[in-house]
Amino acid sequence: NAGVTQTPKFQVLKTGQSMTLQCAQDMNHEYMSWYRQDPGMGLRLIHYSVGAGITDQGEVPNGYNVSRSTTEDFPLRLLSAAPSQTSVYFCASSRLATSYEQYFGPGTRLTVT
Amino acid sequence: AQKITQTQPGMFVQEKEAVTLDCTYDTSDQSYGLFWYKQPSSGEMIFLIYQGSYDEQNATEGRYSLNFQKARKSANLVISASQLGDSAMYFCAMREGAGAQKLVFGQGTRLTINP
């Protein structure tokens, strides 16, 4: 049981490049989400999914796309990276019930130059 | 309007003392949940404790307890007998309503435990 895994751990992109951050969980959780954490800040929700084929926007969705083709995977795509997207990205998953904590992945530190 | 407010950017506490980290929240929902997470310098997010809006008892998990004052909309984290390993960032977060687990986080409090 690996929990929530994220790849890569670190990434440097040039402005305008695209990439996909990978997230997978092996706990059969219905709910998955992506957050970003900027320096000195709390986490902010980018996109989330309540099940395969269902996604929705969070607080800061601009510049990011997601899809959920399986229960296990929830990739985050940056279509054209911008310096403002320099951040630490966390993927999280949980049961779709009110009292369950979210399990967070280890994070991906992304720098856009 | 900020939904989660943590007014203490940093706190310094002597080892073995108890410490209270403040969190106030703003919501018009009757059903909501409050979470505390710890983020050590290694960066991972560690779940500490959860309080539901309908829970009548304050939540406790080992050395952690949540002082839930619904009328004041506060959900302070109390750490008893602090340890050096408690030094970290602490985030309060809220889930509004039932269903999807969308969390709104505060800006965090950096706790430093001095030997």
Side-chain angles (χ1 to χ4, degrees), chain B residues 8-26:
Chain B
Q8 305 152 310
M11 286 195 68
F12 296 85
V13 173
Q14 287 298 117
E15 190 179 7
K16 299 181 185 175
E17 288 184 352
V19 57
T20 298
L21 305 182
D22 295 340
C23 173
T24 58
Y25 60 92
D26 182 28

Side-chain angles (χ1 to χ4, degrees), chain A residues 6-7 11-12 20 27-29 31-33 49 63 68 85 89 92 95 97 99 111 113:
Chain A
Q6 290 183 238
T7 56
Q11 183 69 50
V12 178
T20 299
M27 297 173 281
N28 204 30
H29 285 167
Y31 182 81
M32 296 186 74
S33 56
S49 168
R68 184 100 178 264
Q85 294 178 304
Y89 292 84
R95 294 278 305 277
S99 64
T111 302
T113 61

